[in-house]
Amino acid sequence: QEGMPQTLSSTSMFTPCGFSPHLHTSKEGEQGGLIFQDGNLTSASLDALIQHLIPTTDYYPEKAYIFTFLLSSRLFIEPHELLSRVCHKCIEQQRLDDPVLDKARIRKFGPKILQLLTEWTETFPYDFQEERMIGHLKDMIHRIAPCDEAYWKKMNQLLQTLNQKLATLSHGQEGIVKISAAVSDKLVAFKSKPPSIQREILSVCSDPYTLAQQLTHVELERLSHIGPEEFVQAFVHKDPLDGTKTCFSEQKKTSNLEAYVKWFNRLCYLVATEICMPAKKKQRAQVIEFFIDVARECFNIGNFNSLMAIISGMNMSPVSRLKKTWSKVKTAKFFILEHQMDPTGNFYNYRTALRGAAHRSLTAHSNREKIVIPFFSLLIKDIYFLNEGCANRLPNGHVNFEKFLELAKQVGEFITWKQVECPFEQDPNIIHYLHTAPIFTEDGLYLASYESESPENQTEKDRWKSLR
């Protein structure tokens, strides 16, 4: 389907801090270099936007503005450069270089700049993996600290929280990297049917509810590592107004996002492997029915990413060609699920179900009802089209802020979802299996499939021959 993808609009869109991302002002027209339309900020020069971020003794930017600007500004300026400019402007405006500081004034300004730095570290912790960022942060606080002892304490708290957060995140990343390495070795191992010592999913977990819950564990664990900025960094191009800088996305800044997409692919192949492996038709049919039940439970939980991976695995041709196997399956339930994830009308059915889950999440009383795990590659595609479909800058060189409000709306909603605590008890045994069970390559899947049900036509016969 042509045209822009439908964005997930609902009246209750929130940026992470529960602020609706529309920045209202009573005035129309221009205000300090910012252009407003119908009370919403639509465009401005980069300088004016930076100025709008900077607190003063009697001004503090709206939370929604902070999130939107910190998210999108990296398309124009690197975070360390932005923080450096913010600090320089504060030093100028608050005269922090004066030999004698105006203490009364700084006591009004201090809590506000600390608040801004806190919000930045909480929402975009990965920005602070850079020494320079920590340097600017410390420098700022050192300048205001003589006016109030409490500022030291506040800085130490802030740095401590940040270090803990980064430690947790990198610890998680290392775990994922270790697992991925182990998995890719195993992938190659099976070009043909493995020996019977291979455990199969049903011997590890025969209850579809439990498996759906464990899949949800894995999804939420992996989502928690993705920084909001990774969505934007995936699209950093050269800024046309600054020919000197190449894009800085060359430094791996989207690794968690990529690891998550890999997990989706692994789950597709795992499902296909489990179905093609058993020698007996009856067992294969049993595995298919099991996964249909798991997928249905994922749908009920709001785990659309695992649901889509399972359906994709079942729709891979080595699996879908097993006609004799499928004839033994009660397929009605499968067709209902497939219908939910049907790509027609730009995934209309799925988007409707997602909005339902998002709405349920907002009014939820328990973590169980809060779970929303979107079909991830479609979310990335939506953000990609939003990015490609609108210019970052307007013809007059202004930043197209309207676009970034829409971007912040989509990423902000995702942030809300990824912060949900998983309510299910973890089963390390099952999770280990999901991450490490050997899976076939595509060739391996075809081989296993042809061994289970021999080739039907010449194309299949030729393929089998070349594989053997």
Side-chain angles (χ1 to χ4, degrees), residues 6 9 26 37 145 174 222 232 256-257 259 262 273 290-291 297 357 422 434 438 444 453:
Q6 302 146 352
S9 55
S26 47
Q37 222 177 340
E174 280 159 26
R222 285 178 167 246
V232 175
N256 299 296
L257 201 133
K262 277 195 187 127
T273 300
F290 173 70
F291 275 120
E297 188 50 27
C422 191
L434 288 171
E453 295 186 20

Side-chain angles (χ1 to χ4, degrees), residues 159-174:
L159 289 172
Q160 222 175 340
T161 312
L162 178 64
N163 283 332
Q164 277 168 338
K165 198 160 190 174
L166 285 172
T168 314
L169 290 169
S170 74
H171 177 69
Q173 273 176 311
E174 280 159 26

